[in-house]
Amino acid sequence: MVQNSGYMNVITGVRSSDGSLKTDGLNEAQVPEEKVSDALATETASMFANRINDELFVLYEPSYGPYDMEIIFVHDLYTQGSRDAWRTTWTNDDGTCWPREFLGKKFPRARILSVSYDACVITNSTQGRMNSLFIITENLMVNFFLPRSKVGLTSNCPVLFVGHGLGCFVIKNLMLKASEQFAENEEKRRKFLENVGGFVFYSPFNSGVKWDLYANESGQSNTLTDCLRPHSAELSRLNEAFASLRRRMKERRKSRFLWTVLTICESHQTSSRKPGSLQRSGTFVTEGTARFDCELFRYGVGDHFNVCKHQSTANVNYQCMEDWLDSILTNSRKPSRNSMPNFDPTAENFKAILPRKLFLKLFPKKNPFYEYAAFIEAAVTFVPQGFGVDVSEDDQKREIAALLAHFDHESCGLRHKEQCCPPSTHCPEGPCHPCKSYHGRGPLQLCGNHNYKLCGEGIGDDSLLSFPEKLSQDPVIAFKSALWFWCTPQWNKPSCHSVMTGKWTPTSTDVEASRLPGFGLTINIINRIDCVERDSAHARVEKYKFFCERLAVHPGENIDCRYQKPFL
C-alpha cells in the first residue's frame, strides 16, 4: 500500500489588509520563491510516493487490507504559474489537505484519489494542450481502467466524485463517456457506472459566467475557457445529457439516494489583480447558475477558490458533505425495496458452485463446528474484496477448490478447530494480552499476535487480540479469519485470491523466481517451507486436484511450487 506522507504547506491565496483575497488569477500562494523551492524539493519525494501515474494521485488509502469506498477529487482551471492543482485545490489555509486528514479519519476504509489533468487557461502550458473535455475524459477513462488504478471496478465499492469549477464538467463528461456502448472496455464501463454513488460539486458554472477571472493572464486564451461563456450551447447540452443520465441511473438503481448531487456554492466575491493592472472583484459563480440539477444546495464559506477548502471539521458544509457521503455508502449496500426478502444472489451463487450436500461429502469427518451456513455467511462478506465474483465460473470453481484444499490440509479435513499443544503463545513482541495464546486457529490455522490484530481490524472485530479464542468458538468468525488471510495481500506477497483469479501480474523478479499465477503460488504464500519439503506440497497439490475434480473444473497451470523461490 502507498504510505501517506506530508504535503507542502502552501496557501492558495493571500489576504490583503481589508481581508480580500488576492489571487492574481493563480490558484496558489504568493510566497517567497526560495521558500517555494525548498517546499517543492521536500514535496517531490512525497508526491512520487503517493503517485499512481501522471494523472492520478493517492491522497489517502487504508494502510492494509481492502477499501470499501472510493472518493475521486477533480480540480478546476488554473494558470501556468499554478503548481500541483490536484493537491493545492484541496489544501486549506493552514496547509491541511482536508480530504486526507478529515475524510481519511471519518472513512478509514476509503481510498481517496485526486485527478490531475491539463486545465491551464493559457497556451504555453508546460503540461501539453488538451482543448476538449472529450479528450480529457477519454484519457481519464482509460487511466481509471489501468491495472494499477482499477478505479470503480471493485464490486460493492461505491465511487463518489468531488469536483470544483471545470472539474464538475469533467466529471459529467466522464459519466456520459462511461455510458456509451462501445465494445472496448464495455464490461468495465458497465461495472464502473453500477458502482457510482453520487457527486459533490463546488461552484459549478452550469450556465456560464459573466466575467473572466483569467482575462489578464499572459498568453493567448485557451479554448478550455470557451465553455465559461454565459448560456454556452455546448455546456447546456452537457448539463441536459448528464441530468437525463442521472434520472435513468436512479431508476435503474431503484434508489433516490444514489446518483444524487450536493452543490456547494461560493458565498464571497473573488478578487483578481495582476501587477500593473486594476484590482477587480465579483461573484464568479452565482447561486442561479450553480443550483441547477441538484438534490441538495448549500452556500459554502469563501470565494471561488476557497469554497472547496474546508478549514476544519466544524465547518457546517463539511459536516453536510460528510453526512452525504455516509448516506451514499449506506444506501449503496441496501437492497432495493423491490428485491425479494432473505435472498442474496451472491449467496445463491456460492451455493450453486458448492451445494451443502457436496460440502458435507467432501468433508465427511469434519467437526460439527464448521457449519456450511457459516462458510456461506463468511464468504458473502468478502464479495466486496472480489471473492467469488468478477471472474468466470471456472475461475470461481478453481478458487474455491484451492481454498478447500488448504482447509483440508491445514485442519485435517476441517476436524481441528485449533492447534493441539502449541509450543508457545506465538507472541514474539507486542501487542499481546496477558495469558493469551495466538496459536493456530480456524480453517487456515491463523497464527501470531500480529495476524490476529490485523485480522480483527480487517473483519471489523477489534476484540480478536484480546479474545483470540473467538476463532475456535464462533464458526462464522473462524471462516472469516481464513477468508481474510486468503483475500488480503501481505506486505511482500500478493493475496491468494488475486493469484487464483488472474488479478495479480508477476513482475520480472517474480518470473525469474518462477512465481507464476496458479495454485502452486498459494502454497508459497501460505507456507513457503512446504515448497522445500516436497511431501507436504505434494499432499496439497493432490488435494487441490481432488477438489477440482469434484467441482468439475480443470486445475489450470502452475499448480506446483517445486521450482519457486520464496518471497523475501
Side-chain angles (χ1 to χ4, degrees), residues 26 75-82 85 117-131 136 166 214 217-218 220-225:
L26 303 178
H75 61 75
D76 192 10
L77 293 160
Y78 59 87
T79 67
Q80 184 184 22
S82 180
Y117 68 102
D118 188 358
C120 189
V121 296
I122 54 178
T123 56
N124 54 339
S125 169
T126 59
Q127 301 182 40
R129 294 295 308 284
M130 293 181 184
N131 295 331
I136 291 172
L166 183 69
Y214 302 97
E217 295 302 320
S218 59
Q220 183 179 350
S221 177
N222 187 305
T223 54
L224 277 174
T225 60

Short mmCIF file of all heavy atoms in Angstrom, two decimals, residues 26 75-82 85 117-131 136 166 214 217-218 220-225:
data_model
loop_
_atom_site.label_atom_id
_atom_site.label_comp_id
_atom_site.label_asym_id
_atom_site.label_seq_id
_atom_site.Cartn_x
_atom_site.Cartn_y
_atom_site.Cartn_z
N LEU A 26 -4.15 33.21 -9.91
CA LEU A 26 -3.43 31.96 -9.67
C LEU A 26 -4.09 31.17 -8.57
O LEU A 26 -4.52 31.72 -7.57
CB LEU A 26 -1.98 32.24 -9.26
CG LEU A 26 -1.14 33.08 -10.22
CD1 LEU A 26 0.24 33.29 -9.62
CD2 LEU A 26 -1.03 32.38 -11.57
N HIS A 75 -9.99 18.84 -9.93
CA HIS A 75 -9.77 20.28 -9.72
C HIS A 75 -10.33 21.14 -10.85
O HIS A 75 -10.80 20.65 -11.88
CB HIS A 75 -8.27 20.54 -9.54
CG HIS A 75 -7.44 20.15 -10.74
ND1 HIS A 75 -7.40 20.89 -11.89
CD2 HIS A 75 -6.61 19.09 -10.95
CE1 HIS A 75 -6.58 20.34 -12.76
NE2 HIS A 75 -6.09 19.23 -12.23
N ASP A 76 -10.19 22.45 -10.68
CA ASP A 76 -10.71 23.47 -11.60
C ASP A 76 -9.61 23.93 -12.56
O ASP A 76 -8.50 23.38 -12.58
CB ASP A 76 -11.22 24.65 -10.76
CG ASP A 76 -12.04 25.65 -11.56
OD1 ASP A 76 -12.39 25.37 -12.71
OD2 ASP A 76 -12.35 26.73 -11.01
N LEU A 77 -9.91 24.98 -13.33
CA LEU A 77 -8.92 25.64 -14.20
C LEU A 77 -7.78 26.23 -13.37
O LEU A 77 -7.92 26.47 -12.17
CB LEU A 77 -9.59 26.78 -14.97
CG LEU A 77 -10.65 26.40 -16.00
CD1 LEU A 77 -11.53 27.61 -16.30
CD2 LEU A 77 -10.01 25.88 -17.28
N TYR A 78 -6.66 26.48 -14.02
CA TYR A 78 -5.55 27.15 -13.35
C TYR A 78 -4.70 27.83 -14.41
O TYR A 78 -4.94 27.71 -15.60
CB TYR A 78 -4.71 26.17 -12.53
CG TYR A 78 -4.11 25.02 -13.32
CD1 TYR A 78 -2.88 25.17 -13.96
CD2 TYR A 78 -4.75 23.79 -13.41
CE1 TYR A 78 -2.33 24.13 -14.68
CE2 TYR A 78 -4.20 22.74 -14.12
CZ TYR A 78 -2.99 22.91 -14.75
OH TYR A 78 -2.44 21.87 -15.47
N THR A 79 -3.67 28.59 -13.96
CA THR A 79 -2.77 29.26 -14.89
C THR A 79 -1.43 28.55 -14.93
O THR A 79 -1.18 27.63 -14.16
CB THR A 79 -2.55 30.72 -14.46
OG1 THR A 79 -1.83 30.73 -13.24
CG2 THR A 79 -3.86 31.46 -14.30
N GLN A 80 -0.57 29.01 -15.80
CA GLN A 80 0.73 28.36 -15.96
C GLN A 80 1.52 28.37 -14.65
O GLN A 80 2.27 27.47 -14.35
CB GLN A 80 1.53 29.04 -17.06
CG GLN A 80 2.86 28.33 -17.34
CD GLN A 80 3.69 29.09 -18.36
OE1 GLN A 80 3.51 30.27 -18.55
NE2 GLN A 80 4.59 28.40 -19.03
N GLY A 81 1.32 29.42 -13.84
CA GLY A 81 2.09 29.54 -12.62
C GLY A 81 1.60 28.66 -11.48
O GLY A 81 2.26 28.55 -10.46
N SER A 82 0.44 28.07 -11.64
CA SER A 82 -0.11 27.26 -10.56
C SER A 82 0.51 25.87 -10.57
O SER A 82 0.56 25.21 -11.59
CB SER A 82 -1.62 27.13 -10.73
OG SER A 82 -2.16 26.35 -9.70
N ALA A 85 -2.18 21.55 -9.03
CA ALA A 85 -3.58 21.88 -8.74
C ALA A 85 -4.33 20.69 -8.16
O ALA A 85 -5.29 20.86 -7.42
CB ALA A 85 -4.28 22.37 -10.01
N TYR A 117 -5.19 16.87 -14.44
CA TYR A 117 -5.37 16.98 -15.89
C TYR A 117 -4.98 18.39 -16.32
O TYR A 117 -4.92 19.31 -15.50
CB TYR A 117 -6.81 16.65 -16.29
CG TYR A 117 -7.83 17.67 -15.84
CD1 TYR A 117 -8.35 18.61 -16.72
CD2 TYR A 117 -8.30 17.67 -14.53
CE1 TYR A 117 -9.29 19.53 -16.30
CE2 TYR A 117 -9.23 18.59 -14.10
CZ TYR A 117 -9.73 19.52 -14.99
OH TYR A 117 -10.66 20.45 -14.58
N ASP A 118 -4.71 18.57 -17.60
CA ASP A 118 -4.25 19.86 -18.08
C ASP A 118 -5.44 20.80 -18.20
O ASP A 118 -6.24 20.70 -19.12
CB ASP A 118 -3.57 19.70 -19.44
CG ASP A 118 -2.92 20.98 -19.91
OD1 ASP A 118 -3.02 22.00 -19.20
OD2 ASP A 118 -2.30 20.97 -20.98
N ALA A 119 -5.57 21.72 -17.24
CA ALA A 119 -6.65 22.70 -17.26
C ALA A 119 -6.08 24.11 -17.27
O ALA A 119 -6.64 25.04 -16.70
CB ALA A 119 -7.56 22.51 -16.05
N CYS A 120 -4.92 24.28 -17.91
CA CYS A 120 -4.26 25.58 -17.98
C CYS A 120 -5.01 26.48 -18.96
O CYS A 120 -5.39 26.06 -20.05
CB CYS A 120 -2.81 25.41 -18.41
SG CYS A 120 -1.83 26.91 -18.29
N VAL A 121 -5.20 27.75 -18.58
CA VAL A 121 -6.01 28.65 -19.39
C VAL A 121 -5.19 29.43 -20.42
O VAL A 121 -5.74 30.26 -21.13
CB VAL A 121 -6.77 29.64 -18.49
CG1 VAL A 121 -7.76 28.90 -17.61
CG2 VAL A 121 -5.81 30.48 -17.67
N ILE A 122 -3.89 29.21 -20.48
CA ILE A 122 -3.08 29.89 -21.48
C ILE A 122 -2.37 28.85 -22.33
O ILE A 122 -2.17 27.71 -21.92
CB ILE A 122 -2.08 30.86 -20.84
CG1 ILE A 122 -1.23 30.16 -19.79
CG2 ILE A 122 -2.80 32.03 -20.23
CD1 ILE A 122 -0.19 31.06 -19.15
N THR A 123 -1.96 29.22 -23.52
CA THR A 123 -1.49 28.24 -24.50
C THR A 123 -0.13 27.65 -24.19
O THR A 123 0.15 26.52 -24.55
CB THR A 123 -1.43 28.90 -25.90
OG1 THR A 123 -0.60 30.06 -25.82
CG2 THR A 123 -2.81 29.28 -26.37
N ASN A 124 0.73 28.42 -23.50
CA ASN A 124 2.09 27.91 -23.27
C ASN A 124 2.13 27.05 -22.01
O ASN A 124 2.96 27.24 -21.14
CB ASN A 124 3.10 29.06 -23.19
CG ASN A 124 2.71 30.10 -22.17
OD1 ASN A 124 1.56 30.19 -21.79
ND2 ASN A 124 3.69 30.88 -21.74
N SER A 125 1.19 26.12 -21.91
CA SER A 125 1.15 25.21 -20.78
C SER A 125 2.34 24.27 -20.84
O SER A 125 2.69 23.74 -21.89
CB SER A 125 -0.14 24.39 -20.80
OG SER A 125 -0.07 23.35 -19.86
N THR A 126 2.96 24.04 -19.70
CA THR A 126 4.09 23.11 -19.65
C THR A 126 3.64 21.67 -19.66
O THR A 126 4.45 20.76 -19.78
CB THR A 126 4.92 23.37 -18.38
OG1 THR A 126 4.08 23.20 -17.23
CG2 THR A 126 5.49 24.77 -18.39
N GLN A 127 2.34 21.42 -19.51
CA GLN A 127 1.84 20.05 -19.45
C GLN A 127 1.33 19.54 -20.80
O GLN A 127 0.92 18.40 -20.90
CB GLN A 127 0.69 19.95 -18.44
CG GLN A 127 1.10 20.35 -17.02
CD GLN A 127 -0.06 20.18 -16.06
OE1 GLN A 127 -0.81 19.23 -16.15
NE2 GLN A 127 -0.19 21.11 -15.15
N GLY A 128 1.31 20.39 -21.82
CA GLY A 128 0.73 19.96 -23.08
C GLY A 128 -0.68 20.51 -23.19
O GLY A 128 -1.26 20.99 -22.23
N ARG A 129 -1.25 20.44 -24.39
CA ARG A 129 -2.55 21.05 -24.62
C ARG A 129 -3.66 20.02 -24.72
O ARG A 129 -3.54 19.03 -25.41
CB ARG A 129 -2.49 21.86 -25.92
CG ARG A 129 -1.57 23.05 -25.86
CD ARG A 129 -2.08 24.08 -24.86
NE ARG A 129 -3.47 24.40 -25.14
CZ ARG A 129 -3.85 25.19 -26.15
NH1 ARG A 129 -2.96 25.72 -26.95
NH2 ARG A 129 -5.13 25.45 -26.34
N MET A 130 -4.75 20.28 -24.01
CA MET A 130 -5.96 19.49 -24.18
C MET A 130 -7.10 20.48 -24.27
O MET A 130 -7.51 21.06 -23.27
CB MET A 130 -6.17 18.53 -23.00
CG MET A 130 -5.15 17.43 -22.88
SD MET A 130 -5.55 16.37 -21.48
CE MET A 130 -4.13 15.27 -21.49
N ASN A 131 -7.62 20.69 -25.47
CA ASN A 131 -8.62 21.73 -25.67
C ASN A 131 -10.04 21.19 -25.64
O ASN A 131 -10.97 21.89 -25.96
CB ASN A 131 -8.38 22.44 -27.01
CG ASN A 131 -7.07 23.19 -27.01
OD1 ASN A 131 -6.63 23.63 -25.97
ND2 ASN A 131 -6.45 23.33 -28.16
N ILE A 136 -10.03 14.96 -22.60
CA ILE A 136 -9.63 14.82 -21.20
C ILE A 136 -10.30 13.61 -20.58
O ILE A 136 -9.65 12.77 -19.94
CB ILE A 136 -10.00 16.09 -20.41
CG1 ILE A 136 -9.12 17.27 -20.86
CG2 ILE A 136 -9.83 15.86 -18.91
CD1 ILE A 136 -9.54 18.60 -20.27
N LEU A 166 -14.52 23.78 -13.29
CA LEU A 166 -14.47 22.97 -14.51
C LEU A 166 -14.43 21.48 -14.19
O LEU A 166 -14.92 20.66 -14.97
CB LEU A 166 -13.24 23.36 -15.34
CG LEU A 166 -13.10 22.63 -16.68
CD1 LEU A 166 -14.18 23.08 -17.65
CD2 LEU A 166 -11.73 22.86 -17.29
N TYR A 214 -9.73 35.05 -15.59
CA TYR A 214 -8.37 34.90 -16.12
C TYR A 214 -8.09 35.86 -17.30
O TYR A 214 -7.19 35.64 -18.08
CB TYR A 214 -8.16 33.46 -16.60
CG TYR A 214 -8.38 32.45 -15.51
CD1 TYR A 214 -9.59 31.78 -15.38
CD2 TYR A 214 -7.38 32.16 -14.59
CE1 TYR A 214 -9.80 30.84 -14.38
CE2 TYR A 214 -7.58 31.24 -13.58
CZ TYR A 214 -8.79 30.58 -13.48
OH TYR A 214 -8.98 29.67 -12.48
N GLU A 217 -4.45 37.24 -17.78
CA GLU A 217 -3.32 36.33 -17.84
C GLU A 217 -2.55 36.51 -19.15
O GLU A 217 -3.14 36.75 -20.20
CB GLU A 217 -3.79 34.88 -17.71
CG GLU A 217 -4.42 34.57 -16.36
CD GLU A 217 -3.48 34.84 -15.22
OE1 GLU A 217 -2.27 34.54 -15.35
OE2 GLU A 217 -3.94 35.36 -14.18
N SER A 218 -1.23 36.34 -19.06
CA SER A 218 -0.41 36.47 -20.27
C SER A 218 -0.62 35.25 -21.15
O SER A 218 -0.95 34.16 -20.69
CB SER A 218 1.07 36.58 -19.88
OG SER A 218 1.46 35.43 -19.14
N GLN A 220 -2.12 33.57 -25.05
CA GLN A 220 -3.39 33.52 -25.76
C GLN A 220 -4.39 32.67 -24.98
O GLN A 220 -4.04 31.66 -24.38
CB GLN A 220 -3.18 32.92 -27.15
CG GLN A 220 -4.43 32.88 -28.02
CD GLN A 220 -4.13 32.30 -29.37
OE1 GLN A 220 -2.97 32.11 -29.71
NE2 GLN A 220 -5.16 32.03 -30.15
N SER A 221 -5.65 33.07 -25.01
CA SER A 221 -6.68 32.35 -24.25
C SER A 221 -6.82 30.93 -24.77
O SER A 221 -6.82 30.67 -25.97
CB SER A 221 -8.02 33.08 -24.36
OG SER A 221 -9.02 32.35 -23.70
N ASN A 222 -6.94 30.00 -23.84
CA ASN A 222 -7.12 28.59 -24.17
C ASN A 222 -8.59 28.32 -24.42
O ASN A 222 -9.46 28.90 -23.77
CB ASN A 222 -6.61 27.75 -22.99
CG ASN A 222 -6.58 26.27 -23.28
OD1 ASN A 222 -7.57 25.68 -23.65
ND2 ASN A 222 -5.41 25.68 -23.08
N THR A 223 -8.90 27.42 -25.33
CA THR A 223 -10.30 27.13 -25.64
C THR A 223 -11.02 26.44 -24.49
O THR A 223 -12.23 26.29 -24.55
CB THR A 223 -10.39 26.24 -26.90
OG1 THR A 223 -9.58 25.08 -26.71
CG2 THR A 223 -9.93 26.97 -28.13
N LEU A 224 -10.31 26.02 -23.46
CA LEU A 224 -10.98 25.47 -22.28
C LEU A 224 -11.92 26.49 -21.66
O LEU A 224 -12.92 26.15 -21.04
CB LEU A 224 -9.95 25.02 -21.24
CG LEU A 224 -9.31 23.65 -21.41
CD1 LEU A 224 -8.23 23.45 -20.38
CD2 LEU A 224 -10.35 22.54 -21.29
N THR A 225 -11.58 27.79 -21.80
CA THR A 225 -12.41 28.83 -21.18
C THR A 225 -13.64 29.16 -22.01
O THR A 225 -14.50 29.92 -21.54
CB THR A 225 -11.57 30.12 -20.98
OG1 THR A 225 -11.11 30.57 -22.26
CG2 THR A 225 -10.39 29.85 -20.07
#
